[in-house]
Amino acid sequence: MTEEINSFPQVLTIAGTDSGGGAGIMADLKTFQMQHVFGTAVVVAVTAQNTLGVQASYLLPLKMIDQQCSSLAADFHIRACKTGMLGDAAHVHQVALNLQKYDFGFTTIDPVMVAKGGAPLLSEDAVTVVKKELLPLADLVTPNLPEAEKLTGQKVTKQEQYPDLAAQLQNYGVKNVMIKGGHFPDEQAKDYILLEDGNSFWVSSPRTHTKRTHGTGDTLASCITAQIALGKDLPTAIKLAKKYVTATIKDTIQVGHGHGPLNHWAKAR
């Protein structure tokens, strides 16, 4: 009877809020809804934020992280989860402890470090904790180029470096790596994926020149997570997520005066 009750695909985001609605937990839950999975959330931080930037942020007490994780584990069958903004070393450590304590299924780590407007979302001392404690728990890590540079210490000047970046991240204990190339100045937004079995592939889409890309990384990671919960294999989940995010950028909506949000209603073609 319990399995029948919990048979609907359930997923989890562990991250920070975005009062502007475009990124963080808000973007994750919108994406989960559009992918037809049931979304739950553990709030690590609260931000005062809009499309112009992050005006303030507040990290929740560590005990509250534990209590939220415990509540979810006691009632839901989480098939896949993803992390986003985690704030500082202590909160990264606490999240890692909970991911070890509870089985929340396939784990996507989106190592969020800087907001679209430039505000830091992860303290310097937390980067080491991410590498040592969080990445070894990841089934998939999805850094953009600045995040990949920060984690590996390498400066990226050409796309041919992506395989080396991915291999170095895999050496930290990550099973699968996706290097997001959206920051690279090219007419194709190309991402490189290195799988646990050593196979690799690229996904790309024509670049849409727009400032309305707030929440792109969150949306991609949460879409992959949702597709995994629906039973897709990882390469298929990644390709479907790439198509969905491309549509959310291309089919723009006019909201806010700065880095506007994606259109989560968009249909992937």
Side-chain angles (χ1 to χ4, degrees):
M1 184 63 179
T2 302
E3 279 305 309
E4 184 179 331
I5 291 173
N6 266 330
S7 62
F8 194 86
Q10 298 153 56
V11 291
L12 165 64
T13 171
I14 305 173
T17 67
D18 172 4
S19 56
I25 285 175
M26 282 64 171
D28 295 335
L29 292 177
K30 290 174 184 178
T31 304
F32 292 157
Q33 192 76 5
M34 289 301 296
Q35 304 308 308
H36 303 285
V37 297
F38 182 81
T40 63
V42 168
V43 180
V44 175
V46 177
T47 69
Q49 185 176 170
N50 54 29
T51 65
L52 299 173
V54 179
Q55 290 78 44
S57 63
Y58 171 73
L59 287 164
L60 269 65
L62 296 175
K63 184 178 180 181
M64 190 61 184
I65 310 302
D66 296 342
Q67 290 172 326
Q68 291 178 84
C69 289
S70 175
S71 291
L72 294 179
D75 189 32
F76 298 94
H77 176 201
I78 306 296
R79 298 188 188 182
C81 71
K82 56 99 47 181
T83 68
M85 173 193 176
L86 300 181
D88 65 9
H91 285 75
V92 173
H93 174 69
Q94 208 69 18
V95 168
L97 288 178
N98 280 282
L99 288 176
Q100 291 173 295
K101 184 175 182 179
Y102 303 110
D103 181 8
F104 290 138
F106 185 99
T107 302
T108 303
I109 303 297
D110 184 17
V112 176
M113 296 182 181
V114 180
K116 189 69 69 180
L121 297 177
L122 188 71
S123 63
E124 286 293 326
D125 62 338
V127 176
T128 300
V129 184
V130 168
K131 289 195 287 187
K132 289 185 176 181
E133 299 185 27
L134 199 59
L135 293 190
L137 304 175
D139 290 294
L140 172 68
V141 64
T142 60
N144 59 31
L145 288 182
E147 291 160 354
E149 288 178 335
K150 194 83 170 176
L151 290 168
T152 63
Q154 293 189 44
K155 179 66 178 175
V156 178
T157 58
K158 52 186 179 181
Q159 292 173 326
E160 289 75 13
Q161 292 175 263
Y162 293 7
D164 289 337
L165 288 173
Q168 187 170 337
L169 288 170
Q170 215 171 47
N171 286 337
Y172 294 148
V174 181
K175 294 182 178 69
N176 304 281
V177 180
M178 181 178 188
I179 304 292
K180 299 179 296 190
H183 286 75
F184 195 86
D186 189 79
E187 285 306 303
Q188 288 286 319
K190 295 181 66 176
D191 310 320
Y192 174 79
I193 296 89
L194 176 61
L195 300 175
E196 183 179 13
D197 61 9
N199 289 319
S200 63
F201 63 96
W202 296 78
V203 291
S204 66
S205 62
R207 184 179 300 278
T208 300
H209 293 279
T210 176
K211 285 179 67 178
R212 302 190 177 279
T213 57
H214 183 50
T216 305
D218 300 313
T219 299
L220 179 72
S222 54
C223 189
I224 294 170
T225 303
Q227 290 299 325
I228 291 292
L230 288 167
K232 302 294 195 302
D233 60 76
L234 183 56
T236 301
I238 288 173
K239 292 170 186 175
L240 289 171
K242 178 72 170 180
K243 289 180 179 179
Y244 174 65
V245 170
T246 299
T248 65
I249 297 172
K250 185 175 181 180
D251 298 338
T252 186
I253 53 175
Q254 303 300 311
V255 175
H257 296 82
H259 292 280
L262 307 179
N263 174 15
H264 287 94
W265 289 290
K267 299 291 184 181
R269 296 186 176 86

